[in-house]
Amino acid sequence: MSGLQINLGPVKEPLGFIKVLEWIFAIFAFATCGGYSGKTSLNLTCGNGTNASLQANFAYPFRLHQSSFDNPSSLQCSRVWNMTYYLVGDFSSPAQFYVTFAVFVFLYCMAALVLYVGFLHLYRGTGKLPMLDFVITLVVSFLWLVSTSAWAKALTDIKTSTGQSLLELQPCVNTKSLCQFNDIRSLGSLNVSVVIGFLNLILWAGNAWFVYKETNLHNPPAAAPPTPGNPPPHSGM
């Protein structure tokens, strides 16, 4: 029978249980990164005694070069501050790669769980599906390493671009304005996204062993018994 046969047994085994964890951690991966929004700030003390605070908002996908500082009309610090200044950097590629990959992993885990729970007899009745699952598991493990490493490097650059490097803006260097970086950033969820990415790598790399055990590489198919009336040929001299 090749129809749907609900069996929750695989979820209680490492093969299915780890897949559930991979599904959950994929959600956390794209949620902690893709849902981020934050801001950074500079405090100004002008030569005429005027105090002001400039803020720049930034969010996923972290095209910082499109994020400008607000410029209140009441700010009379210097004419140079009447210009629009932007943050530096475009980190959309690693951020979007990380989030998009996590979404695809989330969808694949759902499909794999449906296969394990509803069609386990088909999964274990043929050697092709376990082998395909094993190859995909290896590829996903490698891509978790690549995407998380790229995103971790991008996050380091984002912290630099929205941090003390703001003091290198032209008005802070070339005018008598006293600039002070005001760290109002909250980057905790982004730090968590990197940790979750490497946890996903560990989960997928570890699960490769349990998927491998389902393949013909670990359990070669048994040889077919000889047909009655046709004994196997004997080798003669």
Side-chain angles (χ1 to χ4, degrees):
M1 184 177 179
S2 60
L4 177 65
Q5 298 179 8
I6 301 298
N7 179 12
L8 297 179
V11 180
K12 302 176 184 178
E13 302 174 0
L15 179 68
F17 180 73
I18 295 179
K19 190 65 67 181
V20 173
L21 293 180
E22 292 170 345
W23 177 69
I24 295 174
F25 275 79
I27 296 175
F28 281 112
F30 65 73
T32 52
C33 180
Y36 178 83
S37 63
K39 56 187 177 180
T40 187
S41 175
L42 277 176
N43 291 333
L44 307 179
T45 302
C46 305
N48 58 5
T50 304
N51 296 321
S53 177
L54 295 181
Q55 292 186 358
N57 297 316
F58 60 99
Y60 174 85
F62 305 103
R63 295 187 177 96
L64 299 187
H65 64 290
Q66 298 178 358
S67 301
S68 62
F69 283 92
D70 54 11
N71 194 358
S73 57
S74 60
L75 183 60
Q76 301 296 329
C77 197
S78 172
R79 286 183 300 175
V80 71
W81 279 110
N82 293 327
M83 301 173 59
T84 302
Y85 291 93
Y86 295 85
L87 298 176
V88 178
D90 182 1
F91 308 100
S92 58
S93 293
Q96 289 178 318
F97 176 44
Y98 179 84
V99 171
T100 302
F101 175 64
V103 171
F104 278 114
V105 169
F106 164 78
L107 296 176
Y108 175 75
C109 288
M110 290 183 61
L113 286 172
V114 170
L115 181 62
Y116 295 165
V117 173
F119 301 92
L120 186 64
H121 55 290
L122 293 180
Y123 180 81
R124 288 177 171 168
T126 175
K128 295 181 179 180
L129 289 178
M131 181 59 68
L132 179 62
D133 192 15
F134 177 61
V135 171
I136 292 177
T137 300
L138 293 179
V139 172
V140 171
S141 300
F142 174 73
L143 290 180
W144 270 124
L145 174 62
V146 173
S147 62
T148 305
S149 298
W151 168 233
K153 174 62 170 62
L155 178 57
T156 300
D157 295 336
I158 290 172
K159 292 178 179 180
T160 300
S161 296
T162 60
Q164 294 289 340
S165 64
L166 297 178
L167 299 178
E168 299 177 4
L169 287 174
Q170 179 184 353
C172 294
V173 176
N174 298 335
T175 69
K176 295 181 180 180
S177 303
L178 179 61
C179 300
Q180 183 179 3
F181 171 62
N182 182 22
D183 194 356
I184 59 175
R185 300 170 299 169
S186 179
L187 302 175
S189 65
L190 298 184
N191 294 328
V192 170
S193 70
V194 173
V195 174
I196 290 177
F198 285 113
L199 287 177
N200 273 301
L201 167 62
I202 295 173
L203 276 175
W204 281 85
N207 195 34
W209 166 248
F210 298 102
V211 179
Y212 169 77
K213 290 171 66 176
E214 300 290 332
T215 67
N216 291 336
L217 298 177
H218 185 264
N219 295 315
T227 305
N230 294 315
H234 296 280
S235 58
M237 296 296 294

